[in-house]
């Protein structure tokens, strides 16, 4: 009978993660939506593509990506020679789930005159079926370079696509996917919160529905929202995105107050991403110890997906991680 190895806890767990990081020549990446304890031990904290590019530039042999699967897949696309592990392979994404590759392929074939601009929150297979990948910080720069007579499919996030369509006054075919986190914000509760904090600006991610975007003073990527938090005048900011981003704000700006935009129940607990929450320190420890679960991508698929990522970097490389969507 096998005896299950007892996992370390507390400070011992942190020490063991650090030991394995050095022993395996690993780099730990944490998205802004990860728990504070994971953010605090990561080598880099940031947006998904920004993290993958930073990891690719290192001499690490192993990338431990504390995020969701499409992010770890992107790291593998950009660093095929590195081992990429994800603490929990069930850490998915509602946007990726909303856009099955076979259905997206059929949709593209039904609209051959359209090019596909696809949000990075999608599977490797959908990236391979796309013309240009976009992030929330690069989408605007990329759309500005596409001739006005060129028809566009935008997927899988209909709220980000709708925001860009309204801003550029360009009709686009929108795939009907949404982020369950940003969809959960309540306009009614947000207006109540604004009334309680008159003058406090609202910073929102463009994955939010129009009813939230309409009340935002700033719309941008997670990196852009962080930059706005540092630049705005005043002492209170209402934040309409996954609330774990406020950990970085509070570290940098302890003198300011950051309030998560509420969900329908009047608080922001329903806006914690359940997929991101699957990553834990014990799972990170075992992923580094065993180098499993490991991301594997067939080479032909990887190269096809990389082409759409490369097109984005060619068109807007200076915007990655810059959050340049700006004011509404």
């Amino acid at each position: 009978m096998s005896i299950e190895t007892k996992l370390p806890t507390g400070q011992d767990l942190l020490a063991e993660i650090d030991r394995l990081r050095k022993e395996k020549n690993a780099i730990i990446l944490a998205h802004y939506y990860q728990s504070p304890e994971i953010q605090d031990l990561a080598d880099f904290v940031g947006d998904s593509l920004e993290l993958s590019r930073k990891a690719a530039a290192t001499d690490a042999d192993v990338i431990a990506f504390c995020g969701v699967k499409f992010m770890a897949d992107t790291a593998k696309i950009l660093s095929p020679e590195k081992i990429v592990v994800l603490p929990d392979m069930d850490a998915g994404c509602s946007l990726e789930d909303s856009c099955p590759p076979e259905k997206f392929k059929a949709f593209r074939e039904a609209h051959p005159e359209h090019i596909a601009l696809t949000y990075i929150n999608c599977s490797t297979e959908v990236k391979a079926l796309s013309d240009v990948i976009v992030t929330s910080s690069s989408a605007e720069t990329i759309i500005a370079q596409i001739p006005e007579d060129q028809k566009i499919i935008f997927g899988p996030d209909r709220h980000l696509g709708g925001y860009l369509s309204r801003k550029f006054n360009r009709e686009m075919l929108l795939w009907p996917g949404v982020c369950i986190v940003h969809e959960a914000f309540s306009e009614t509760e947000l207006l109540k919160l604004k009334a309680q904090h008159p003058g406090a600006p609202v910073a929102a991610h463009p994955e939010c529905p129009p009813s939230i975007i309409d009340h935002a003073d700033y719309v941008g990527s997670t990196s852009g929202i962080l930059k706005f938090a540092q630049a705005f005048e005043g002492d209170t900011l209402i934040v309409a995105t996954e609330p774990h981003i406020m950990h970085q704000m509070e570290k940098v700006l302890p003198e300011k107050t950051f309030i998560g935009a509420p969900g329908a129940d009047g608080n922001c607990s329903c806006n914690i991403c359940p997929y991101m929450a699957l990553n834990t320190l014990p799972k990170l420890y075992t992923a580094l110890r065993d180098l499993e679960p490991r991301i594997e991508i067939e080479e032909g698929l990887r190269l096809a997906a990389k082409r759409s990522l490369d097109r984005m970097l060619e068109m807007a490389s200076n915007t990655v991680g810059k959050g340049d969507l700006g004011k509404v």
Side-chain angles (χ1 to χ4, degrees):
M1 182 183 294
S2 63
I3 300 174
E4 185 175 341
T5 305
K6 186 176 181 181
L7 295 179
T9 59
Q11 290 300 314
D12 290 339
L13 177 58
L14 297 176
E16 279 298 292
I17 290 172
D18 201 46
R19 178 186 67 79
L20 288 167
R21 170 171 25 200
K22 297 184 178 83
E23 179 184 297
K24 309 279 187 175
N25 188 29
I27 188 168
I28 299 172
L29 309 179
H31 191 270
Y32 289 125
Y33 297 167
Q34 287 295 289
S35 63
E37 59 264 27
I38 289 179
Q39 290 188 42
D40 288 346
L41 61 75
D43 295 286
F44 294 113
V45 179
D47 282 329
S48 60
L49 181 58
E50 175 191 13
L51 289 171
S52 292
R53 294 184 79 200
K54 284 181 176 178
T58 72
D59 61 0
D61 296 315
V62 176
I63 299 171
F65 207 127
C66 297
V68 296
K69 187 176 181 296
F70 83 80
M71 298 178 184
D73 286 349
T74 302
K76 186 66 175 179
I77 291 168
L78 297 184
S79 300
E81 76 289 355
K82 301 183 191 295
I83 294 170
V84 179
V85 295
L86 181 67
D88 192 319
M89 201 61 83
D90 288 331
C93 171
S94 58
L95 283 168
E96 177 178 349
D97 293 344
S98 77
C99 192
E102 64 279 5
K103 291 187 178 181
F104 188 72
K105 183 174 185 290
F107 188 66
R108 287 224 61 188
E109 290 171 349
H111 301 93
E113 71 280 11
H114 289 65
I115 64 169
L117 301 188
T118 308
Y119 192 29
I120 197 168
N121 297 36
C122 65
S123 67
T124 302
E125 290 80 4
V126 168
K127 287 180 176 67
L129 291 166
S130 302
D131 294 297
V132 188
I133 295 301
V134 302
T135 64
S136 50
S137 57
S138 67
E140 186 174 327
T141 299
I142 287 169
I143 289 175
Q145 296 175 55
I146 296 174
E148 291 190 8
D149 60 351
Q150 173 60 62
K151 296 179 179 180
I152 296 172
I153 287 171
F154 192 97
D157 190 320
R158 66 182 173 90
H159 290 323
L160 174 57
Y163 169 75
L164 294 165
S165 177
R166 293 189 301 276
K167 187 162 188 178
F168 280 83
N169 193 27
R170 289 191 69 160
E171 185 177 346
M172 294 190 280
L173 279 179
L174 304 180
W175 188 266
V178 296
C179 167
I180 58 172
V181 170
H182 294 92
E183 182 83 349
F185 292 116
S186 164
E187 180 183 23
T188 300
E189 295 299 326
L190 176 60
L191 290 174
K192 290 179 186 177
L193 189 61
K194 283 172 63 70
Q196 293 168 19
H197 301 276
V202 175
H205 196 283
E207 291 178 27
C208 292
S211 60
I212 301 300
I213 295 291
D214 287 347
H215 301 290
D217 300 277
Y218 176 86
V219 180
S221 68
T222 46
S223 293
I225 290 172
L226 281 171
K227 288 181 174 63
F228 180 76
Q230 295 177 53
F232 85 98
E233 295 182 2
D235 56 11
T236 303
L237 177 65
I238 298 170
V239 181
T241 190
E242 214 277 358
H244 282 126
I245 193 176
M246 291 187 288
H247 178 60
Q248 292 298 318
M249 297 176 181
E250 290 161 354
K251 285 175 66 174
V252 176
L253 301 158
E255 74 282 4
K256 292 190 176 184
T257 300
F258 301 101
I259 305 171
D265 62 351
N267 65 62
C268 65
S269 61
C270 61
N271 301 319
I272 292 174
C273 177
Y275 300 108
M276 290 282 187
L278 290 175
N279 296 301
T280 63
L281 291 178
K283 290 176 185 175
L284 173 60
Y285 164 75
T286 56
L288 286 170
R289 183 192 67 192
D290 304 336
L291 297 183
E292 295 285 348
R294 192 179 299 196
I295 301 293
E296 302 287 359
I297 301 174
E298 188 272 325
E299 182 64 5
L301 175 61
R302 185 190 74 83
L303 291 173
K306 187 174 183 292
R307 278 194 291 272
S308 60
L309 281 165
D310 287 343
R311 289 192 190 104
M312 183 199 74
L313 295 173
E314 289 165 9
M315 296 175 77
S317 62
N318 65 328
T319 67
V320 175
K322 301 292 177 62
D324 67 341
L325 282 180
K327 283 187 172 290
V328 178

